[in-house]
Amino acid sequence: MLYQRSSQLFIEAEKVIPGGVNSPVRAFKSVGGTPIFVKSAKGAYLYDEDGNRLIDYINSWGPMILGHAYQPVVDAVIEKAKLGTSFGMPTEIETQIAELAVAMVPNIDKIRFVNSGTEACMSAVRLARGFTLRDKIIKFKGCYHGHSDSFLIQAGSGAVTFGSPNSPGVTEGTAKDTLLATYNDIENVRAIFKANPTEIAAVIIEPVAGNMGCVPPKEGFLQELRSVCDEFGALLIFDEVMTGFRLARGGAQELFGIKADLVTFGKVIGGGLPVGAFAGRREIMDYLAPIGPVYQAGTLSGNPLAMAAGLTMLQEIEKDKALFERLEQKTAYLEKGMREVLSKSNVDFTINRVGSMISVFFDEREVVDFDTAGYGNNDKFKKFFHGLIAEGVYIAPSSYETWFITDALTYEDLDFTIKAIEKVVVTL
């Protein structure tokens, strides 16, 4: 495949946009090469500026669960745009999507819409602190909750060590209130709580991690985490920006039967437009301004175009009772095919999957947390990534990102992908 147009566009972009991209993972830094510039997309396919077609396995990092340019969503946005794109005033559609989301997701009474997953997680943590009147939070190494200061923290040298910033611009003062835990290690979490028994406002976690590759929770881990939070009076926040409305109608809470105190959303809930949300029980959510003391605001929050896209997407998911079964079957088919191909090669690998989230790591050891996710052979992943592009398949340009399956994929697409992997694996 030729990428002359993409290469030229990247050169032009670098002159006026830092790094030539508006989100770092797009820059191909971890895999090398020049980013591909997309011209259009439809269904399961991307079409780039050079005229190449690629089967898409990132799907805008998750939102396109029904495929790109899904007609009902496109039509809803067009019709809403004709009436005005933003008012900064209440609209009926905000209540309509809120009612539907609350009906679909267990254990939430109220929801507030924002403009991104970062905003949602930042706001949820502020609300948790305001509700509990405590300052500290626990997050897990390798879980990503957006680029708010509280979340850009690396691990210290022990279970109770304060975090330290891993980005310039994040202050030590901010970092000291974020405590780092190891994913899937409940004893590590308990040790942190015992060292800070009355100071922790909340634990925030991706119930299925998607930012160190796809890493599922061990059996019982989330249940024990719920119990520890209850024991010490801390809130449990599920970051369901990826998993919400993707792993099940009601997200990870439904899938694992766990009740979180606060839940954050993004991706699917916006139907492909920039939308985030956070939700919870009435007594917690009523701590938000204008009826409570915890301030949160957004000029474009709940704008009609985003609400139209999100409402239509949720309505389509709600009425299609077989959707999640189809996604499970398609992703399981892809997993089986990949396992068969990779097992015949001399390449060490591990595949993790939950529902329609899946990752391959080039190491034979089990991947259960951020450290074990790092065992994978990145040189092999680079060759794998670029080899698949050459065959017409696009996956996430980082071994620390999950793949997202869309219902628009056909079994012919999946077979094509498996054959492409078979061709590429011999070069690793």
Side-chain angles (χ1 to χ4, degrees):
M1 291 188 179
L2 297 176
Y3 293 100
Q4 295 175 343
R5 176 71 175 149
S6 280
S7 297
Q8 184 58 43
L9 287 172
F10 186 56
I11 292 170
E12 294 172 10
E14 286 183 299
K15 297 174 183 176
V16 289
I17 300 172
V21 294
N22 281 309
S23 190
V25 74
R26 301 175 192 173
F28 281 26
K29 287 292 186 181
S30 65
V31 292
T34 300
I36 295 169
F37 279 63
V38 177
K39 186 171 186 177
S40 66
K42 181 66 177 176
Y45 311 121
L46 299 170
Y47 300 89
D48 69 17
E49 289 284 354
D50 288 278
N52 301 307
R53 191 194 82 167
L54 296 162
I55 298 176
D56 184 16
Y57 285 96
I58 67 165
N59 286 287
S60 193
W61 303 98
M64 304 308 180
I65 192 168
L66 302 179
H68 290 283
Y70 186 67
Q71 202 60 50
V73 172
V74 172
D75 291 343
V77 172
I78 291 171
E79 290 307 309
K80 190 59 68 175
K82 293 175 182 177
L83 303 176
T85 57
S86 182
F87 312 117
M89 297 169 66
T91 58
E92 182 182 14
I93 196 170
E94 294 169 73
T95 303
Q96 291 172 338
I97 187 173
E99 289 174 339
L100 181 54
V102 167
M104 292 175 72
V105 178
N107 201 45
I108 65 171
D109 299 314
K110 292 188 176 183
I111 186 168
R112 178 163 285 181
F113 286 90
V114 291
N115 300 291
S116 68
T118 292
E119 273 189 70
C121 292
M122 175 186 71
S123 302
V125 164
R126 182 185 300 163
L127 178 56
R129 285 173 166 151
F131 183 77
T132 62
L133 299 179
R134 298 176 177 183
D135 291 338
K136 299 186 187 304
I137 63 167
I138 294 176
K139 75 172 289 288
F140 291 86
K141 187 178 179 182
C143 283
Y144 178 73
H145 308 291
H147 62 272
S148 177
D149 286 2
S150 296
F151 304 131
L152 294 180
I153 309 298
Q154 65 185 14
S157 58
V160 299
T161 305
F162 290 136
S164 59
N166 67 346
S167 172
V170 179
T171 68
E172 293 286 348
T174 297
K176 73 179 179 60
D177 286 330
T178 301
L179 307 173
L180 269 289
T182 301
Y183 198 81
N184 274 325
D185 187 343
I186 195 63
E187 293 309 317
N188 174 247
V189 176
R190 187 175 290 278
I192 296 172
F193 266 109
K194 286 181 176 178
N196 304 270
T198 61
E199 299 175 70
I200 297 169
V203 175
I204 185 168
I205 187 170
E206 293 179 89
V208 174
N211 288 284
M212 43 184 154
C214 177
V215 179
K218 290 181 179 178
E219 186 175 354
F221 174 66
L222 295 177
Q223 288 85 348
E224 292 179 89
L225 189 60
R226 173 72 273 177
S227 296
V228 172
C229 287
D230 290 341
E231 180 183 344
F232 288 92
L235 300 186
L236 176 59
I237 304 172
F238 270 10
D239 176 352
E240 295 221 47
V241 169
M242 286 188 180
T243 60
F245 308 102
R246 169 167 280 280
L247 295 186
R249 175 179 177 274
Q253 286 193 106
E254 176 186 323
L255 185 66
F256 296 109
I258 305 294
K259 291 183 177 180
D261 298 298
L262 289 168
V263 188
T264 64
F265 300 105
K267 313 293 186 189
V268 173
I269 202 174
L273 270 67
V275 180
F278 60 107
R281 301 195 313 272
R282 185 180 311 275
E283 64 267 29
I284 301 174
M285 295 301 290
D286 282 351
Y287 258 66
L288 283 173
I291 57 174
V294 177
Y295 193 73
Q296 182 276 328
T299 302
L300 293 181
S301 295
N303 82 81
L305 299 190
M307 296 294 93
L311 176 61
T312 304
M313 178 65 78
L314 295 191
Q315 288 172 334
E316 293 292 304
I317 291 172
E318 173 72 350
K319 72 183 183 184
D320 187 347
K321 303 305 180 186
L323 171 63
F324 294 104
E325 182 180 352
R326 289 199 306 274
L327 286 168
E328 168 71 25
Q329 290 172 347
K330 288 179 180 181
T331 317
Y333 185 88
L334 176 63
E335 178 187 6
K336 180 175 181 289
M338 284 201 296
R339 285 190 183 280
E340 290 175 352
V341 167
L342 291 169
S343 294
K344 294 175 184 176
S345 72
N346 294 319
V347 177
D348 293 328
F349 73 96
T350 294
I351 296 176
N352 280 357
R353 180 177 72 86
V354 179
S356 59
M357 296 169 61
I358 186 170
S359 292
V360 58
F361 305 87
F362 290 108
D363 189 271
E364 78 282 3
R365 288 169 285 186
E366 185 182 18
V367 176
V368 297
D369 57 24
F370 186 67
D371 289 341
T372 53
Y375 292 161
N377 186 317
N378 199 47
D379 288 335
K380 281 187 170 58
F381 181 82
K382 290 177 184 178
K383 293 178 182 177
F384 185 68
F385 172 79
H386 286 290
L388 286 182
I389 286 179
E391 294 296 328
V393 176
Y394 189 79
I395 64 172
S398 167
S399 60
Y400 286 101
E401 301 285 355
T402 187
W403 307 8
F404 294 100
I405 306 303
T406 173
D407 190 46
L409 283 163
T410 65
Y411 282 92
E412 288 76 15
D413 295 326
L414 297 173
D415 285 335
F416 182 95
T417 302
I418 293 164
K419 291 220 174 274
I421 291 171
E422 189 172 21
K423 293 178 184 177
V424 170
V425 74
V426 298
T427 69
L428 301 184

